[in-house]
Amino acid sequence: MNSLTAQAGQFLADVRYEQLPVEVLPAVRDAFTDTIGVIMAGIDQPISGILRKTIVEPAGRQESRACLSTHLVAGPDAALLGGAVAHCLDYGVQTMSGHPAGVLVPAILAEAEVLGASGKDMVTAFVAGYEVWCELWRRNQNYHSAGWHPTAVLGPLASAAACSVLHRLSANQATMALAIAASHAGGLFSNFGSMTKGYHSGMASRNGLVAARLAAAGMTGSVDALENVQGYLTAFSSGGVPDRESPSKLGKEWYLPKHKLQFKMHPTCFFEHRSFEGTVKMLQGRNIDPRDIESVEVEMGRGQVTCLVHERPQNMFQAQFSGQFAIAAAVILGKLGVAETADEVVLRDDMQAFYPKVKLKAVDEFDPRDPVFSPTESVTMRLRNGEVLESGPIATVPGYASAPLTTEELWGKFVDCTDKTHSKTEARELFDLLQKVDSLDSAKSLPSCTSIFKD
C-alpha cells in the first residue's frame, strides 16, 4: 500500500492507547475538559436552538446525549450540535490553523456512547484524529488565503479518523472512511463573522462520524482520494502546490508532542489574544482616557491580518474576528470574556468610536510553532499629547503552546463556562472526571446535565 490514503488507513487500524506518547496525555485530557466547558458556555447561543429545531430533534432517533444533556438524539446529530456549539463562541482549542478539539470531542463522545467505548478508546481516537489533521495540514498550509476555513477542510477527515478507531475498522475500511470524508470537506472563509463558522465545526464533526459508519457498512471510496492529482489535496490548494508525494509520517513520528494544543482564555479568534494581553499589560498602572488616545498600530503576521477582517464590528461574531475590537476591549473594558463580546457591548458608542483609531500592520514573518502566526506582535499607542507607548515584542500568552495553562487556570475557565449550567459542586465533579477521561469505563460515566434542553 503506497498511497497516502491507504497509509493513513493502516495507521488508524494499528494505533493503540499503549503506543501513545505519555507526555501528550495531560493535554488530551485538558482538551476534553476545555471542550465540554466551552460547549456549556455556548449552549444558549442562537445556533444551538436553530440546529436543535431544524435538524437534530426532527430526526427522532435516540442514541447519544446531546451535549451531555438528558436529551437523547441520533449520534451524528449529537456530533453536529456539540461541534457547532463548541465553536460558536470561538473559545475552544486552537492549533494547526484550526480548532481540532471542537470537531473531535463531540464526535468521539457521541459515537463512544453508541459503541460503549472506554475512556482509553476515546483518548486514542482523539490522538489519531489529531495526527491525521496534522499530516494533512503540513501538506498544504494556505487554506485561509485560498478562501477556505481549515477546520471545515481538515475536520471531517480528523473526525472520520477518530471514529474509525472507535469502530475498530480494518485498514481498508478506515481508508474508505477517509476517502468518504474527503468528499464532505469544505467551508468558506467568507462566512467568518457569522453563525456559519460554528456550523462548519459541527458539520465536520458529524460528517466524519457518518463517513466512518458508512465505511463500516461497506461503502467504498478511492484508495488514493487524498493524493490523487484530482483529489483532496489538489482541490483545496486553489492553484497552489500541495505536497502529494512525501511519505506519511503517521505511525512513524508523532505530531502532538511538537505541534501542541493551545487553549484560549478569551472567546475570540486566537489572533486577537496577544495584542489584547500586551495592551492590557502596557496600560497597567496608567489612567488613560480612551478619548486621549490618538491612534494604535498593531503589528502582526499577514495571515493573522487576513483573518481579522472586521474593522468596524457590529455584532459578537464580527468582534471575534476584529483586531480593532480586541484593542478597544483592552483599553475600555480591561477584560475580554463572554460577556464582553455581547452584541450590546460591541455596539456601545465608546467602543464604536474607538475602532477607527486601530490599524493592523502586516508583516511577512512566520512562527515555526505555528506558521499562521508571526513570531511576535507589538502594539504602538500614540496619545494626543504626543506621548508614545510601546508594548515591545509579545511572543506568547497564557494557553499558548509555550505557556500551557495550569490545572487551576483551566479550572477557572471551566467554572466560568459552566456558571449557567452547573452548580460549582457539579462543575467540579465533571471537571475531575474529564481530567481522568482515559480511566473512565465509558462515556456514560460522565454525568448528564439536567439544566439544559428542558423545553
Side-chain angles (χ1 to χ4, degrees):
M1 294 186 298
N2 295 318
S3 80
L4 169 62
T5 317
Q7 289 175 44
Q10 187 67 58
F11 164 73
L12 297 173
D14 292 343
V15 67
R16 298 291 183 270
Y17 178 84
E18 293 72 23
Q19 300 171 327
L20 306 181
V22 175
E23 67 267 27
V24 307
L25 297 179
V28 176
R29 296 170 192 138
D30 285 352
F32 275 88
T33 305
D34 185 78
T35 303
I36 295 302
V38 299
I39 286 174
M40 296 304 160
I43 206 73
D44 60 351
Q45 290 296 311
I47 191 172
S48 176
I50 291 169
L51 290 176
R52 283 179 59 215
K53 299 303 181 185
T54 60
I55 297 176
V56 175
E57 292 178 352
R61 195 169 172 186
Q62 297 186 347
E63 294 182 320
S64 306
R65 289 176 292 172
C67 300
L68 291 185
S69 70
T70 56
H71 192 57
L72 292 177
V73 299
D77 293 330
L80 168 68
L81 183 63
V85 174
H87 194 42
C88 69
L89 295 174
D90 220 294
Y91 207 2
V93 174
Q94 189 276 339
T95 190
M96 298 301 98
S97 300
H99 306 269
V103 173
L104 290 171
V105 171
I108 290 168
L109 287 177
E111 202 69 331
E113 290 202 0
V114 175
L115 299 172
S118 70
K120 287 183 178 179
D121 294 333
M122 292 191 287
V123 167
T124 306
F126 183 97
V127 176
Y130 184 77
E131 295 295 303
V132 167
W133 178 298
C134 291
E135 177 68 30
L136 296 172
W137 168 85
R138 77 170 177 86
R139 295 170 180 274
N140 180 19
Q141 299 175 15
N142 300 309
Y143 296 108
H144 285 120
S145 60
W148 297 114
H149 180 191
T151 298
V153 174
L154 301 168
L157 287 98
S159 174
C163 292
S164 293
V165 171
L166 291 178
H167 277 271
R168 302 187 189 278
L169 297 187
S170 68
N172 182 65
Q173 289 173 317
T175 301
M176 297 302 101
L178 294 173
I180 296 165
S183 283
H184 281 297
L188 296 177
F189 176 87
S190 56
N191 275 313
F192 279 32
S194 75
M195 291 185 203
T196 298
K197 183 172 187 282
Y199 182 57
H200 287 168
S201 176
M203 289 298 289
S205 188
R206 179 189 190 278
N207 288 340
L209 187 158
V210 168
R213 287 191 178 189
L214 292 172
M219 183 172 283
T220 63
S222 296
V223 73
D224 64 347
L226 302 181
E227 72 277 12
N228 187 290
V229 68
Q230 293 180 307
Y232 169 92
L233 288 170
T234 300
F236 289 105
S237 70
S238 295
V241 184
D243 175 5
R244 297 186 294 106
E245 298 180 357
S246 69
S248 169
K249 295 182 180 180
L250 295 170
K252 304 179 182 70
E253 300 178 26
W254 293 98
Y255 287 99
L256 188 48
K258 180 180 178 181
H259 299 292
K260 297 178 180 179
L261 302 175
Q262 303 183 126
F263 294 82
K264 293 184 176 184
M265 292 300 284
H266 308 294
T268 67
C269 177
F270 212 11
F271 294 159
E272 297 182 23
H273 291 203
R274 291 195 294 188
S275 57
F276 169 82
E277 293 279 356
T279 302
V280 169
K281 184 177 180 179
M282 183 174 68
L283 294 177
Q284 282 179 348
R286 296 176 175 270
N287 186 22
I288 297 177
D289 189 318
R291 292 170 295 185
D292 292 335
I293 297 173
E294 182 175 321
S295 66
V296 182
E297 181 179 88
V298 182
E299 188 173 282
M300 59 173 57
R302 189 170 301 279
Q304 297 168 254
V305 175
T306 298
C307 287
L308 300 179
V309 293
H310 295 286
E311 297 181 359
R312 309 289 184 270
Q314 299 299 304
N315 55 50
M316 175 188 79
F317 299 109
Q318 292 182 2
Q320 291 171 353
F321 297 92
S322 172
Q324 287 74 16
F325 172 79
I327 302 302
V331 171
I332 298 171
L333 309 175
K335 55 184 178 178
L336 184 50
V338 174
E340 285 71 45
T341 63
D343 289 355
E344 57 268 26
V345 178
V346 176
L347 289 170
R348 275 174 40 172
D349 290 344
D350 55 348
M351 296 287 284
Q352 290 286 323
F354 197 86
Y355 300 147
K357 299 181 180 183
V358 182
K359 305 297 180 185
L360 307 185
K361 179 182 177 182
V363 298
D364 293 312
E365 298 177 62
F366 303 98
D367 191 335
R369 297 170 296 182
D370 191 342
V372 293
F373 287 85
S374 54
T376 63
E377 295 172 31
S378 65
V379 179
T380 302
M381 181 178 293
R382 300 182 186 279
L383 306 184
R384 295 193 185 280
N385 64 7
E387 185 179 0
V388 177
L389 307 180
E390 295 183 324
S391 68
I394 311 164
T396 191
V397 292
Y400 207 65
S402 58
L405 297 182
T406 65
T407 301
E408 283 308 303
E409 286 173 328
L410 183 62
W411 164 244
K413 176 181 175 181
F414 190 85
V415 75
D416 285 345
C417 285
T418 56
D419 179 59
K420 296 180 181 178
T421 58
H422 295 70
S423 69
K424 193 167 184 178
T425 299
E426 291 169 336
R428 189 78 224 192
E429 178 190 8
L430 180 57
F431 181 88
D432 289 344
L433 286 170
L434 290 165
Q435 285 285 281
K436 56 180 182 181
V437 62
D438 43 340
S439 71
L440 301 181
D441 292 333
S442 75
K444 293 181 180 178
S445 300
L446 297 171
S448 297
C449 179
T450 59
S451 64
I452 58 175
F453 303 156
K454 301 285 287 184
D455 52 324

